Amino acid sequence: MKSFKNIALIGFMGSGKSTVGEIISKKLNLLFIDIDNVIELIEEKSIDSIFKLHGEKYFRELESKIIDKIFLNKNCIFACGGGVVKNSRNADTIRKNSTVVYLHVSPEEACRRLENVSNRPLLKVKDKQKVIKSMINEREMLYRKNADIIVSNTDKNPEIIVYEIINKLGVSA
Ligand code: S3P
């Protein structure tokens, strides 16, 4: 395998970052790190409880602190939380230390995948579909702006996506 920087997967909730990340980690022999899991381990609480007890601002500060430290590692593939690009400093750190892959998912597909999901605090709202669409609309430009590689994950299975990403990275699995 060529030596390259870390890989960071960005994209909206439900875009498949964790599933795709796990597969790539095995194929390219990289350590898979899910940033939300790290936050949960450090806080000894679920993301949901962190939001409930301390609010979004506290979560975002924690997310940034962890990104500052964890992106110093090498040979890792990171699944970043969907809101990571909202903070431009996070985005700069991630870009500096990794090849950034944006997993694009259409708003309709995101709504379908997240319909029965109850562990996303920002989606505990009356009109989930409306909120998902408006959040994607707000973030789409940021995801694109910060990506080195863009792959659509709307109607493909994870193995195909992984194949596309590895191809675009120009590495052999
Ligand atoms: C968030 C996405 C979640 C998690 C938190 C906030 C967001 O991660 O970080 O609930 O703002 O989009 P996933 O994208 O892994 O679901």
PDB file of all heavy atoms in Angstrom, residues 12-13 17 35-36 39 47 50-51 54-68 80-87 89-90 121-122 135 138-139 143:
ATOM      1  N   PHE A  12     -23.636  13.512   6.019  1.00  0.00           N
ATOM      2  CA  PHE A  12     -24.790  13.648   6.909  1.00  0.00           C
ATOM      3  C   PHE A  12     -25.048  12.355   7.680  1.00  0.00           C
ATOM      4  O   PHE A  12     -24.570  11.277   7.294  1.00  0.00           O
ATOM      5  CB  PHE A  12     -26.029  14.033   6.081  1.00  0.00           C
ATOM      6  CG  PHE A  12     -27.135  14.607   6.932  1.00  0.00           C
ATOM      7  CD1 PHE A  12     -26.978  15.845   7.554  1.00  0.00           C
ATOM      8  CD2 PHE A  12     -28.313  13.907   7.140  1.00  0.00           C
ATOM      9  CE1 PHE A  12     -27.977  16.367   8.350  1.00  0.00           C
ATOM     10  CE2 PHE A  12     -29.317  14.431   7.943  1.00  0.00           C
ATOM     11  CZ  PHE A  12     -29.154  15.661   8.540  1.00  0.00           C
ATOM     12  N   MET A  13     -25.809  12.475   8.764  1.00  0.00           N
ATOM     13  CA  MET A  13     -26.231  11.283   9.516  1.00  0.00           C
ATOM     14  C   MET A  13     -26.874  10.296   8.549  1.00  0.00           C
ATOM     15  O   MET A  13     -27.638  10.693   7.668  1.00  0.00           O
ATOM     16  CB  MET A  13     -27.280  11.677  10.577  1.00  0.00           C
ATOM     17  CG  MET A  13     -26.748  12.563  11.671  1.00  0.00           C
ATOM     18  SD  MET A  13     -28.083  13.138  12.776  1.00  0.00           S
ATOM     19  CE  MET A  13     -28.332  14.819  12.201  1.00  0.00           C
ATOM     20  N   LYS A  17     -21.106   6.401   7.051  1.00  0.00           N
ATOM     21  CA  LYS A  17     -19.692   6.606   7.402  1.00  0.00           C
ATOM     22  C   LYS A  17     -19.120   5.439   8.214  1.00  0.00           C
ATOM     23  O   LYS A  17     -18.014   4.974   7.946  1.00  0.00           O
ATOM     24  CB  LYS A  17     -19.531   7.919   8.188  1.00  0.00           C
ATOM     25  CG  LYS A  17     -19.787   9.173   7.362  1.00  0.00           C
ATOM     26  CD  LYS A  17     -20.022  10.382   8.250  1.00  0.00           C
ATOM     27  CE  LYS A  17     -21.319  10.255   8.993  1.00  0.00           C
ATOM     28  NZ  LYS A  17     -21.721  11.378   9.815  1.00  0.00           N
ATOM     29  N   ILE A  35     -15.445   8.972  15.694  1.00  0.00           N
ATOM     30  CA  ILE A  35     -15.262  10.080  16.650  1.00  0.00           C
ATOM     31  C   ILE A  35     -16.384  10.089  17.706  1.00  0.00           C
ATOM     32  O   ILE A  35     -16.135  10.316  18.889  1.00  0.00           O
ATOM     33  CB  ILE A  35     -15.230  11.450  15.909  1.00  0.00           C
ATOM     34  CG1 ILE A  35     -14.195  11.464  14.782  1.00  0.00           C
ATOM     35  CG2 ILE A  35     -15.009  12.598  16.890  1.00  0.00           C
ATOM     36  CD1 ILE A  35     -12.777  11.616  15.174  1.00  0.00           C
ATOM     37  N   ASP A  36     -17.614   9.823  17.289  1.00  0.00           N
ATOM     38  CA  ASP A  36     -18.715   9.803  18.267  1.00  0.00           C
ATOM     39  C   ASP A  36     -18.498   8.723  19.327  1.00  0.00           C
ATOM     40  O   ASP A  36     -18.809   8.932  20.499  1.00  0.00           O
ATOM     41  CB  ASP A  36     -20.063   9.561  17.565  1.00  0.00           C
ATOM     42  CG  ASP A  36     -20.622  10.839  16.954  1.00  0.00           C
ATOM     43  OD1 ASP A  36     -20.080  11.920  17.238  1.00  0.00           O
ATOM     44  OD2 ASP A  36     -21.609  10.749  16.196  1.00  0.00           O
ATOM     45  N   ILE A  39     -16.056  10.012  21.852  1.00  0.00           N
ATOM     46  CA  ILE A  39     -16.714  10.966  22.761  1.00  0.00           C
ATOM     47  C   ILE A  39     -17.522  10.202  23.817  1.00  0.00           C
ATOM     48  O   ILE A  39     -17.465  10.505  25.011  1.00  0.00           O
ATOM     49  CB  ILE A  39     -17.631  11.936  21.962  1.00  0.00           C
ATOM     50  CG1 ILE A  39     -16.781  12.803  21.020  1.00  0.00           C
ATOM     51  CG2 ILE A  39     -18.475  12.799  22.902  1.00  0.00           C
ATOM     52  CD1 ILE A  39     -17.570  13.711  20.086  1.00  0.00           C
ATOM     53  N   ILE A  47     -24.218   9.712  23.145  1.00  0.00           N
ATOM     54  CA  ILE A  47     -24.322  11.054  22.543  1.00  0.00           C
ATOM     55  C   ILE A  47     -25.656  11.683  22.938  1.00  0.00           C
ATOM     56  O   ILE A  47     -25.739  12.859  23.287  1.00  0.00           O
ATOM     57  CB  ILE A  47     -24.226  10.961  20.990  1.00  0.00           C
ATOM     58  CG1 ILE A  47     -22.889  10.364  20.541  1.00  0.00           C
ATOM     59  CG2 ILE A  47     -24.463  12.325  20.328  1.00  0.00           C
ATOM     60  CD1 ILE A  47     -21.666  11.190  20.788  1.00  0.00           C
ATOM     61  N   ILE A  50     -25.454  12.984  26.417  1.00  0.00           N
ATOM     62  CA  ILE A  50     -24.601  14.187  26.485  1.00  0.00           C
ATOM     63  C   ILE A  50     -25.412  15.419  26.057  1.00  0.00           C
ATOM     64  O   ILE A  50     -25.404  16.455  26.714  1.00  0.00           O
ATOM     65  CB  ILE A  50     -23.325  14.034  25.610  1.00  0.00           C
ATOM     66  CG1 ILE A  50     -22.481  12.852  26.110  1.00  0.00           C
ATOM     67  CG2 ILE A  50     -22.504  15.328  25.609  1.00  0.00           C
ATOM     68  CD1 ILE A  50     -21.310  12.459  25.222  1.00  0.00           C
ATOM     69  N   PHE A  51     -26.143  15.271  24.956  1.00  0.00           N
ATOM     70  CA  PHE A  51     -26.984  16.385  24.485  1.00  0.00           C
ATOM     71  C   PHE A  51     -28.045  16.729  25.532  1.00  0.00           C
ATOM     72  O   PHE A  51     -28.300  17.892  25.816  1.00  0.00           O
ATOM     73  CB  PHE A  51     -27.674  16.026  23.160  1.00  0.00           C
ATOM     74  CG  PHE A  51     -26.901  16.421  21.933  1.00  0.00           C
ATOM     75  CD1 PHE A  51     -25.800  15.672  21.519  1.00  0.00           C
ATOM     76  CD2 PHE A  51     -27.273  17.514  21.163  1.00  0.00           C
ATOM     77  CE1 PHE A  51     -25.087  16.013  20.364  1.00  0.00           C
ATOM     78  CE2 PHE A  51     -26.571  17.867  20.009  1.00  0.00           C
ATOM     79  CZ  PHE A  51     -25.480  17.111  19.608  1.00  0.00           C
ATOM     80  N   HIS A  54     -26.095  18.180  28.797  1.00  0.00           N
ATOM     81  CA  HIS A  54     -25.226  19.365  28.684  1.00  0.00           C
ATOM     82  C   HIS A  54     -25.514  20.262  27.474  1.00  0.00           C
ATOM     83  O   HIS A  54     -24.950  21.344  27.378  1.00  0.00           O
ATOM     84  CB  HIS A  54     -23.761  18.926  28.597  1.00  0.00           C
ATOM     85  CG  HIS A  54     -23.319  18.037  29.715  1.00  0.00           C
ATOM     86  ND1 HIS A  54     -23.173  18.476  31.001  1.00  0.00           N
ATOM     87  CD2 HIS A  54     -22.996  16.721  29.732  1.00  0.00           C
ATOM     88  CE1 HIS A  54     -22.771  17.475  31.767  1.00  0.00           C
ATOM     89  NE2 HIS A  54     -22.663  16.401  31.027  1.00  0.00           N
ATOM     90  N   GLY A  55     -26.282  19.779  26.520  1.00  0.00           N
ATOM     91  CA  GLY A  55     -26.602  20.598  25.346  1.00  0.00           C
ATOM     92  C   GLY A  55     -25.611  20.470  24.206  1.00  0.00           C
ATOM     93  O   GLY A  55     -24.534  19.883  24.351  1.00  0.00           O
ATOM     94  N   GLU A  56     -25.991  21.068  23.070  1.00  0.00           N
ATOM     95  CA  GLU A  56     -25.174  20.916  21.852  1.00  0.00           C
ATOM     96  C   GLU A  56     -23.831  21.642  21.967  1.00  0.00           C
ATOM     97  O   GLU A  56     -22.805  21.139  21.497  1.00  0.00           O
ATOM     98  CB  GLU A  56     -25.938  21.413  20.614  1.00  0.00           C
ATOM     99  CG  GLU A  56     -25.110  21.250  19.340  1.00  0.00           C
ATOM    100  CD  GLU A  56     -25.836  21.580  18.050  1.00  0.00           C
ATOM    101  OE1 GLU A  56     -27.033  21.952  18.108  1.00  0.00           O
ATOM    102  OE2 GLU A  56     -25.194  21.474  16.981  1.00  0.00           O
ATOM    103  N   LYS A  57     -23.815  22.802  22.612  1.00  0.00           N
ATOM    104  CA  LYS A  57     -22.571  23.590  22.682  1.00  0.00           C
ATOM    105  C   LYS A  57     -21.467  22.768  23.366  1.00  0.00           C
ATOM    106  O   LYS A  57     -20.331  22.706  22.887  1.00  0.00           O
ATOM    107  CB  LYS A  57     -22.838  24.887  23.453  1.00  0.00           C
ATOM    108  CG  LYS A  57     -21.710  25.878  23.409  1.00  0.00           C
ATOM    109  CD  LYS A  57     -22.143  27.241  23.957  1.00  0.00           C
ATOM    110  CE  LYS A  57     -20.973  28.190  24.003  1.00  0.00           C
ATOM    111  NZ  LYS A  57     -20.149  27.997  25.206  1.00  0.00           N
ATOM    112  N   TYR A  58     -21.850  22.125  24.464  1.00  0.00           N
ATOM    113  CA  TYR A  58     -20.895  21.291  25.219  1.00  0.00           C
ATOM    114  C   TYR A  58     -20.383  20.163  24.328  1.00  0.00           C
ATOM    115  O   TYR A  58     -19.188  19.885  24.259  1.00  0.00           O
ATOM    116  CB  TYR A  58     -21.614  20.729  26.450  1.00  0.00           C
ATOM    117  CG  TYR A  58     -20.781  19.799  27.296  1.00  0.00           C
ATOM    118  CD1 TYR A  58     -19.990  20.288  28.329  1.00  0.00           C
ATOM    119  CD2 TYR A  58     -20.814  18.420  27.090  1.00  0.00           C
ATOM    120  CE1 TYR A  58     -19.231  19.438  29.126  1.00  0.00           C
ATOM    121  CE2 TYR A  58     -20.056  17.557  27.871  1.00  0.00           C
ATOM    122  CZ  TYR A  58     -19.267  18.069  28.889  1.00  0.00           C
ATOM    123  OH  TYR A  58     -18.533  17.223  29.671  1.00  0.00           O
ATOM    124  N   PHE A  59     -21.314  19.517  23.607  1.00  0.00           N
ATOM    125  CA  PHE A  59     -20.932  18.421  22.714  1.00  0.00           C
ATOM    126  C   PHE A  59     -19.947  18.904  21.647  1.00  0.00           C
ATOM    127  O   PHE A  59     -18.931  18.265  21.363  1.00  0.00           O
ATOM    128  CB  PHE A  59     -22.179  17.810  22.052  1.00  0.00           C
ATOM    129  CG  PHE A  59     -21.855  16.843  20.955  1.00  0.00           C
ATOM    130  CD1 PHE A  59     -21.481  15.536  21.245  1.00  0.00           C
ATOM    131  CD2 PHE A  59     -21.888  17.237  19.620  1.00  0.00           C
ATOM    132  CE1 PHE A  59     -21.149  14.640  20.232  1.00  0.00           C
ATOM    133  CE2 PHE A  59     -21.568  16.352  18.596  1.00  0.00           C
ATOM    134  CZ  PHE A  59     -21.198  15.049  18.903  1.00  0.00           C
ATOM    135  N   ARG A  60     -20.254  20.062  21.052  1.00  0.00           N
ATOM    136  CA  ARG A  60     -19.383  20.581  19.971  1.00  0.00           C
ATOM    137  C   ARG A  60     -17.984  20.907  20.494  1.00  0.00           C
ATOM    138  O   ARG A  60     -16.988  20.723  19.798  1.00  0.00           O
ATOM    139  CB  ARG A  60     -20.004  21.831  19.340  1.00  0.00           C
ATOM    140  CG  ARG A  60     -21.318  21.606  18.610  1.00  0.00           C
ATOM    141  CD  ARG A  60     -21.170  20.747  17.387  1.00  0.00           C
ATOM    142  NE  ARG A  60     -22.473  20.412  16.819  1.00  0.00           N
ATOM    143  CZ  ARG A  60     -22.703  19.330  16.102  1.00  0.00           C
ATOM    144  NH1 ARG A  60     -21.736  18.477  15.829  1.00  0.00           N
ATOM    145  NH2 ARG A  60     -23.894  19.074  15.628  1.00  0.00           N
ATOM    146  N   GLU A  61     -17.907  21.421  21.720  1.00  0.00           N
ATOM    147  CA  GLU A  61     -16.589  21.749  22.286  1.00  0.00           C
ATOM    148  C   GLU A  61     -15.765  20.472  22.490  1.00  0.00           C
ATOM    149  O   GLU A  61     -14.587  20.410  22.172  1.00  0.00           O
ATOM    150  CB  GLU A  61     -16.753  22.514  23.608  1.00  0.00           C
ATOM    151  CG  GLU A  61     -17.128  23.969  23.349  1.00  0.00           C
ATOM    152  CD  GLU A  61     -17.592  24.725  24.589  1.00  0.00           C
ATOM    153  OE1 GLU A  61     -17.491  24.156  25.709  1.00  0.00           O
ATOM    154  OE2 GLU A  61     -18.078  25.848  24.429  1.00  0.00           O
ATOM    155  N   LEU A  62     -16.460  19.464  22.975  1.00  0.00           N
ATOM    156  CA  LEU A  62     -15.820  18.164  23.188  1.00  0.00           C
ATOM    157  C   LEU A  62     -15.345  17.587  21.850  1.00  0.00           C
ATOM    158  O   LEU A  62     -14.218  17.099  21.711  1.00  0.00           O
ATOM    159  CB  LEU A  62     -16.894  17.250  23.778  1.00  0.00           C
ATOM    160  CG  LEU A  62     -16.525  16.156  24.741  1.00  0.00           C
ATOM    161  CD1 LEU A  62     -15.715  16.726  25.887  1.00  0.00           C
ATOM    162  CD2 LEU A  62     -17.808  15.523  25.297  1.00  0.00           C
ATOM    163  N   GLU A  63     -16.222  17.658  20.874  1.00  0.00           N
ATOM    164  CA  GLU A  63     -15.923  17.145  19.530  1.00  0.00           C
ATOM    165  C   GLU A  63     -14.654  17.823  18.989  1.00  0.00           C
ATOM    166  O   GLU A  63     -13.743  17.160  18.491  1.00  0.00           O
ATOM    167  CB  GLU A  63     -17.133  17.429  18.624  1.00  0.00           C
ATOM    168  CG  GLU A  63     -17.095  16.793  17.258  1.00  0.00           C
ATOM    169  CD  GLU A  63     -18.355  17.107  16.447  1.00  0.00           C
ATOM    170  OE1 GLU A  63     -18.861  18.256  16.485  1.00  0.00           O
ATOM    171  OE2 GLU A  63     -18.846  16.192  15.756  1.00  0.00           O
ATOM    172  N   SER A  64     -14.565  19.137  19.148  1.00  0.00           N
ATOM    173  CA  SER A  64     -13.401  19.870  18.643  1.00  0.00           C
ATOM    174  C   SER A  64     -12.129  19.474  19.372  1.00  0.00           C
ATOM    175  O   SER A  64     -11.069  19.302  18.751  1.00  0.00           O
ATOM    176  CB  SER A  64     -13.592  21.374  18.804  1.00  0.00           C
ATOM    177  OG  SER A  64     -14.604  21.795  17.962  1.00  0.00           O
ATOM    178  N   LYS A  65     -12.227  19.352  20.702  1.00  0.00           N
ATOM    179  CA  LYS A  65     -11.044  18.976  21.489  1.00  0.00           C
ATOM    180  C   LYS A  65     -10.518  17.615  21.045  1.00  0.00           C
ATOM    181  O   LYS A  65      -9.316  17.410  20.895  1.00  0.00           O
ATOM    182  CB  LYS A  65     -11.417  18.877  22.981  1.00  0.00           C
ATOM    183  CG  LYS A  65     -11.261  20.175  23.721  1.00  0.00           C
ATOM    184  CD  LYS A  65     -11.381  19.918  25.223  1.00  0.00           C
ATOM    185  CE  LYS A  65     -11.912  21.180  25.894  1.00  0.00           C
ATOM    186  NZ  LYS A  65     -12.697  20.920  27.083  1.00  0.00           N
ATOM    187  N   ILE A  66     -11.430  16.692  20.834  1.00  0.00           N
ATOM    188  CA  ILE A  66     -11.021  15.337  20.443  1.00  0.00           C
ATOM    189  C   ILE A  66     -10.430  15.344  19.033  1.00  0.00           C
ATOM    190  O   ILE A  66      -9.419  14.694  18.772  1.00  0.00           O
ATOM    191  CB  ILE A  66     -12.211  14.366  20.589  1.00  0.00           C
ATOM    192  CG1 ILE A  66     -12.428  14.130  22.084  1.00  0.00           C
ATOM    193  CG2 ILE A  66     -11.977  13.056  19.853  1.00  0.00           C
ATOM    194  CD1 ILE A  66     -13.717  13.535  22.462  1.00  0.00           C
ATOM    195  N   ILE A  67     -11.024  16.114  18.155  1.00  0.00           N
ATOM    196  CA  ILE A  67     -10.492  16.202  16.789  1.00  0.00           C
ATOM    197  C   ILE A  67      -9.057  16.752  16.804  1.00  0.00           C
ATOM    198  O   ILE A  67      -8.172  16.223  16.130  1.00  0.00           O
ATOM    199  CB  ILE A  67     -11.440  17.031  15.896  1.00  0.00           C
ATOM    200  CG1 ILE A  67     -12.612  16.126  15.543  1.00  0.00           C
ATOM    201  CG2 ILE A  67     -10.747  17.572  14.648  1.00  0.00           C
ATOM    202  CD1 ILE A  67     -13.741  16.774  14.869  1.00  0.00           C
ATOM    203  N   ASP A  68      -8.829  17.772  17.596  1.00  0.00           N
ATOM    204  CA  ASP A  68      -7.477  18.346  17.693  1.00  0.00           C
ATOM    205  C   ASP A  68      -6.448  17.275  18.045  1.00  0.00           C
ATOM    206  O   ASP A  68      -5.342  17.266  17.512  1.00  0.00           O
ATOM    207  CB  ASP A  68      -7.430  19.421  18.789  1.00  0.00           C
ATOM    208  CG  ASP A  68      -7.996  20.737  18.309  1.00  0.00           C
ATOM    209  OD1 ASP A  68      -8.183  20.881  17.089  1.00  0.00           O
ATOM    210  OD2 ASP A  68      -8.266  21.609  19.150  1.00  0.00           O
ATOM    211  N   CYS A  80     -16.423  10.822  10.986  1.00  0.00           N
ATOM    212  CA  CYS A  80     -16.689  12.055  11.739  1.00  0.00           C
ATOM    213  C   CYS A  80     -18.192  12.243  11.908  1.00  0.00           C
ATOM    214  O   CYS A  80     -18.971  11.864  11.031  1.00  0.00           O
ATOM    215  CB  CYS A  80     -16.133  13.262  10.981  1.00  0.00           C
ATOM    216  SG  CYS A  80     -14.376  13.152  10.641  1.00  0.00           S
ATOM    217  N   GLY A  81     -18.594  12.855  13.007  1.00  0.00           N
ATOM    218  CA  GLY A  81     -20.012  13.157  13.205  1.00  0.00           C
ATOM    219  C   GLY A  81     -20.493  14.085  12.096  1.00  0.00           C
ATOM    220  O   GLY A  81     -19.712  14.870  11.550  1.00  0.00           O
ATOM    221  N   GLY A  82     -21.774  13.984  11.785  1.00  0.00           N
ATOM    222  CA  GLY A  82     -22.330  14.746  10.652  1.00  0.00           C
ATOM    223  C   GLY A  82     -22.179  16.252  10.760  1.00  0.00           C
ATOM    224  O   GLY A  82     -22.198  16.962   9.759  1.00  0.00           O
ATOM    225  N   GLY A  83     -22.016  16.756  12.005  1.00  0.00           N
ATOM    226  CA  GLY A  83     -21.973  18.209  12.167  1.00  0.00           C
ATOM    227  C   GLY A  83     -20.563  18.770  12.266  1.00  0.00           C
ATOM    228  O   GLY A  83     -20.369  19.955  12.524  1.00  0.00           O
ATOM    229  N   VAL A  84     -19.583  17.929  12.025  1.00  0.00           N
ATOM    230  CA  VAL A  84     -18.200  18.312  12.265  1.00  0.00           C
ATOM    231  C   VAL A  84     -17.759  19.512  11.415  1.00  0.00           C
ATOM    232  O   VAL A  84     -16.980  20.353  11.871  1.00  0.00           O
ATOM    233  CB  VAL A  84     -17.277  17.075  12.047  1.00  0.00           C
ATOM    234  CG1 VAL A  84     -16.967  16.834  10.602  1.00  0.00           C
ATOM    235  CG2 VAL A  84     -16.042  17.166  12.879  1.00  0.00           C
ATOM    236  N   VAL A  85     -18.297  19.627  10.226  1.00  0.00           N
ATOM    237  CA  VAL A  85     -17.857  20.700   9.313  1.00  0.00           C
ATOM    238  C   VAL A  85     -18.457  22.073   9.668  1.00  0.00           C
ATOM    239  O   VAL A  85     -18.079  23.083   9.084  1.00  0.00           O
ATOM    240  CB  VAL A  85     -18.220  20.367   7.842  1.00  0.00           C
ATOM    241  CG1 VAL A  85     -17.378  19.239   7.299  1.00  0.00           C
ATOM    242  CG2 VAL A  85     -19.707  20.067   7.697  1.00  0.00           C
ATOM    243  N   LYS A  86     -19.383  22.074  10.624  1.00  0.00           N
ATOM    244  CA  LYS A  86     -19.980  23.355  11.022  1.00  0.00           C
ATOM    245  C   LYS A  86     -18.937  24.293  11.626  1.00  0.00           C
ATOM    246  O   LYS A  86     -19.077  25.500  11.597  1.00  0.00           O
ATOM    247  CB  LYS A  86     -21.079  23.107  12.053  1.00  0.00           C
ATOM    248  CG  LYS A  86     -22.372  22.622  11.430  1.00  0.00           C
ATOM    249  CD  LYS A  86     -23.388  22.172  12.461  1.00  0.00           C
ATOM    250  CE  LYS A  86     -23.698  23.204  13.501  1.00  0.00           C
ATOM    251  NZ  LYS A  86     -24.905  22.872  14.277  1.00  0.00           N
ATOM    252  N   ASN A  87     -17.893  23.689  12.198  1.00  0.00           N
ATOM    253  CA  ASN A  87     -16.827  24.478  12.797  1.00  0.00           C
ATOM    254  C   ASN A  87     -15.635  24.471  11.824  1.00  0.00           C
ATOM    255  O   ASN A  87     -15.044  23.427  11.560  1.00  0.00           O
ATOM    256  CB  ASN A  87     -16.462  23.827  14.143  1.00  0.00           C
ATOM    257  CG  ASN A  87     -15.317  24.523  14.838  1.00  0.00           C
ATOM    258  OD1 ASN A  87     -14.455  25.124  14.202  1.00  0.00           O
ATOM    259  ND2 ASN A  87     -15.293  24.419  16.150  1.00  0.00           N
ATOM    260  N   ARG A  89     -12.678  25.429  12.079  1.00  0.00           N
ATOM    261  CA  ARG A  89     -11.393  24.990  12.656  1.00  0.00           C
ATOM    262  C   ARG A  89     -11.294  23.460  12.618  1.00  0.00           C
ATOM    263  O   ARG A  89     -10.260  22.900  12.300  1.00  0.00           O
ATOM    264  CB  ARG A  89     -11.258  25.500  14.093  1.00  0.00           C
ATOM    265  CG  ARG A  89      -9.816  25.752  14.509  1.00  0.00           C
ATOM    266  CD  ARG A  89      -9.761  26.491  15.830  1.00  0.00           C
ATOM    267  NE  ARG A  89     -10.280  25.653  16.925  1.00  0.00           N
ATOM    268  CZ  ARG A  89      -9.552  24.762  17.592  1.00  0.00           C
ATOM    269  NH1 ARG A  89      -8.291  24.586  17.295  1.00  0.00           N
ATOM    270  NH2 ARG A  89     -10.081  24.046  18.561  1.00  0.00           N
ATOM    271  N   ASN A  90     -12.413  22.782  12.915  1.00  0.00           N
ATOM    272  CA  ASN A  90     -12.440  21.314  12.787  1.00  0.00           C
ATOM    273  C   ASN A  90     -12.103  20.919  11.359  1.00  0.00           C
ATOM    274  O   ASN A  90     -11.295  20.027  11.105  1.00  0.00           O
ATOM    275  CB  ASN A  90     -13.830  20.728  13.066  1.00  0.00           C
ATOM    276  CG  ASN A  90     -14.239  20.819  14.516  1.00  0.00           C
ATOM    277  OD1 ASN A  90     -13.414  21.051  15.370  1.00  0.00           O
ATOM    278  ND2 ASN A  90     -15.524  20.620  14.766  1.00  0.00           N
ATOM    279  N   PRO A 121     -29.968  13.069  18.678  1.00  0.00           N
ATOM    280  CA  PRO A 121     -30.649  14.118  19.445  1.00  0.00           C
ATOM    281  C   PRO A 121     -31.199  15.269  18.599  1.00  0.00           C
ATOM    282  O   PRO A 121     -32.264  15.812  18.907  1.00  0.00           O
ATOM    283  CB  PRO A 121     -29.568  14.618  20.411  1.00  0.00           C
ATOM    284  CG  PRO A 121     -28.284  14.025  19.957  1.00  0.00           C
ATOM    285  CD  PRO A 121     -28.604  12.811  19.156  1.00  0.00           C
ATOM    286  N   LEU A 122     -30.478  15.618  17.519  1.00  0.00           N
ATOM    287  CA  LEU A 122     -30.937  16.764  16.721  1.00  0.00           C
ATOM    288  C   LEU A 122     -32.153  16.429  15.865  1.00  0.00           C
ATOM    289  O   LEU A 122     -32.759  17.304  15.254  1.00  0.00           O
ATOM    290  CB  LEU A 122     -29.790  17.281  15.836  1.00  0.00           C
ATOM    291  CG  LEU A 122     -28.593  17.856  16.593  1.00  0.00           C
ATOM    292  CD1 LEU A 122     -27.482  18.266  15.633  1.00  0.00           C
ATOM    293  CD2 LEU A 122     -29.009  19.058  17.440  1.00  0.00           C
ATOM    294  N   MET A 135     -31.274  20.775   7.288  1.00  0.00           N
ATOM    295  CA  MET A 135     -29.885  20.607   7.745  1.00  0.00           C
ATOM    296  C   MET A 135     -28.961  20.234   6.586  1.00  0.00           C
ATOM    297  O   MET A 135     -27.840  20.735   6.471  1.00  0.00           O
ATOM    298  CB  MET A 135     -29.808  19.508   8.822  1.00  0.00           C
ATOM    299  CG  MET A 135     -30.244  19.965  10.193  1.00  0.00           C
ATOM    300  SD  MET A 135     -30.358  18.563  11.340  1.00  0.00           S
ATOM    301  CE  MET A 135     -28.691  18.482  11.928  1.00  0.00           C
ATOM    302  N   GLU A 138     -28.284  23.215   4.474  1.00  0.00           N
ATOM    303  CA  GLU A 138     -27.360  24.124   5.145  1.00  0.00           C
ATOM    304  C   GLU A 138     -25.910  23.619   5.068  1.00  0.00           C
ATOM    305  O   GLU A 138     -24.968  24.389   4.962  1.00  0.00           O
ATOM    306  CB  GLU A 138     -27.767  24.145   6.610  1.00  0.00           C
ATOM    307  CG  GLU A 138     -27.495  25.400   7.390  1.00  0.00           C
ATOM    308  CD  GLU A 138     -28.103  25.202   8.776  1.00  0.00           C
ATOM    309  OE1 GLU A 138     -29.315  25.444   8.948  1.00  0.00           O
ATOM    310  OE2 GLU A 138     -27.362  24.754   9.660  1.00  0.00           O
ATOM    311  N   ARG A 139     -25.732  22.276   5.135  1.00  0.00           N
ATOM    312  CA  ARG A 139     -24.376  21.721   5.248  1.00  0.00           C
ATOM    313  C   ARG A 139     -23.750  21.274   3.934  1.00  0.00           C
ATOM    314  O   ARG A 139     -22.525  21.134   3.861  1.00  0.00           O
ATOM    315  CB  ARG A 139     -24.394  20.511   6.181  1.00  0.00           C
ATOM    316  CG  ARG A 139     -24.717  20.876   7.609  1.00  0.00           C
ATOM    317  CD  ARG A 139     -24.774  19.624   8.432  1.00  0.00           C
ATOM    318  NE  ARG A 139     -25.121  19.873   9.813  1.00  0.00           N
ATOM    319  CZ  ARG A 139     -25.282  18.922  10.712  1.00  0.00           C
ATOM    320  NH1 ARG A 139     -25.123  17.658  10.363  1.00  0.00           N
ATOM    321  NH2 ARG A 139     -25.605  19.208  11.956  1.00  0.00           N
ATOM    322  N   TYR A 143     -19.763  20.353   3.229  1.00  0.00           N
ATOM    323  CA  TYR A 143     -19.240  19.013   2.948  1.00  0.00           C
ATOM    324  C   TYR A 143     -18.432  19.041   1.653  1.00  0.00           C
ATOM    325  O   TYR A 143     -17.314  18.525   1.579  1.00  0.00           O
ATOM    326  CB  TYR A 143     -20.374  17.999   2.805  1.00  0.00           C
ATOM    327  CG  TYR A 143     -21.146  17.661   4.071  1.00  0.00           C
ATOM    328  CD1 TYR A 143     -22.536  17.566   4.063  1.00  0.00           C
ATOM    329  CD2 TYR A 143     -20.490  17.400   5.269  1.00  0.00           C
ATOM    330  CE1 TYR A 143     -23.252  17.223   5.212  1.00  0.00           C
ATOM    331  CE2 TYR A 143     -21.197  17.070   6.421  1.00  0.00           C
ATOM    332  CZ  TYR A 143     -22.576  16.982   6.386  1.00  0.00           C
ATOM    333  OH  TYR A 143     -23.282  16.648   7.516  1.00  0.00           O
TER     334      TYR A 143
END
